Amino acid sequence: MAVYPASAVFILLWLWISLKDPDRGVTVVMATLPFGMFAALSAGGLAILMPYFLASLTFAVFLLRRVSGQIQGIHVPRSGFYLLLFGAYAVFSALILVRLFAGDFLVFPLSFDLKGTRISPYISSTMKPLAPVNSNISQTVYALLSVFFFISVADVFRRRGPRLLEQGLVWGAGLNILLGILDLAGLDGLLSLIRTADYALGNELRVFGLPRVIGGFSEASAFGAFSAALVGYFGASYLMSRKGRHGLLAGGNLFFACFAFSSTGFAALAVVALLILLHARFFLGRGLSRGFGHWLVIGLAVAVIVVSVAVITTPLLDTAGDMANRLFLQKAGSRSGLERAAWARSGFHAFEQTWGLGAGMGSLRANGLVSVLLGSVGLPGAVLFCAFLWTSVGPVLPIRNQTGTRMFYAARVGTLTYLSAMMVSGTAPDPTLHLVSFAAIAAVARKFNEIQPGAPVPHPGGRREAVH
């Protein structure tokens, strides 16, 4: 077993905060979401990332409090039941289906190595016969921890209100910006302390001589997708609440989502812009204050001036055109594009070969959430996952409670933004802590929306917090 020195700092921080207030363990987990390449420990070829490790500790404490009577009952939103069923089917697929169809066809395994059948000189990945592997266990564990964390977040929101959860997102967004700054500054030696997972590290890649920022993740697409989801949440929240801190967090993450120079990140940012336009009637429901309107006009004017000067004095248009051509138009013909297309076809092929049941959680590497779900957990898992999403963020809400409405639509934009990134470049069927965090906030905000402003929210131990 390998334990990394920096892990002790995070675990001690979680213990210190959770011993004072166990519900704040959820806050700490949300704050660590930007550490996407930080393995807390590894054993037997399996590693668990720090956010997932802390999520497991948080849920364990949650269960102990429930057994001891400190928490009366467990609140699971309707969407949570679909997610629980998804987790149950994931376990079934990883234990039974992968063995049922073992050896029937070739798959791209989640772990990279040079062994196996190489299908093209342009694709470095190799294919192997379907067989039970370590990733069946690891991906199933990750998926179950995502399910359990959804339940934890939903229950804390129900009992404590939104403050603790939003604190976690604020810290997570701030740390994501900080990690982006460290990476942009080239401080790889410092970042190596939290880049301990056995992933291929893409910190040396450049686009037209410009470094691709990856922050605390292993590569640019993951960092760009997560940053874009934060832009969606805090951008929507800022437009509804006019909280300056949320505006700054949205702007900072927007900067680094762009500097990831990832086609996935840019596609997710385009979805953010589209969702904000589609939700404009909710964001502008209070109307524009005179001060906000003035600053908006000034900001737009400054942006137009800066862009105009840059276009006149620099080859900005040519560079932007070449970059768009490389990231989007030529993507399908690049080595990366060809490889991802092969992964996607492999996922659909597995769906066909398993009669729609799936080859098992963690059995294969595909590309794009549709191919990933159908290939791994088949039609039953895909239907349950869609039901979970729809009941979390599907139907719109009327504006009753301002805080509940704001958090629902902010979480809805964050969920759909991250979902769009998974549709483009997702490779594993784990719902992820990132997605379920936003989805849990949206799911419970539906009920929270019905609480009138100023009404107290129940708090364990007799304390009560008011809704503002």
Side-chain angles (χ1 to χ4, degrees), residues 4 39-50 52 138 142 196-199:
Y4 304 98
L41 52 89
S42 60
L46 298 176
I48 182 167
L49 298 177
M50 179 57 70
Y52 285 90
S138 61
Y142 279 146
T196 54
D198 187 21
Y199 297 160

Side-chain angles (χ1 to χ4, degrees), residues 169 229-230 233 411-412 414-415 418 433-443:
L169 287 177
L230 291 174
Y233 181 90
R412 190 187 203 210
T415 301
Y418 200 75
L433 297 180
H434 310 83
L435 184 72
V436 301
S437 295
F438 291 126
I441 292 173

Side-chain angles (χ1 to χ4, degrees), residues 162-185:
R163 188 169 62 89
L164 296 184
L165 306 183
E166 196 143 73
Q167 281 179 353
L169 287 177
V170 166
W171 276 101
L175 285 171
N176 194 57
I177 294 173
L178 175 61
L179 293 172
I181 292 173
L182 294 177
D183 188 41
L184 189 62

Side-chain angles (χ1 to χ4, degrees), residues 76 151 254 376 453:
V76 180
I151 295 172
L254 173 61
S376 300

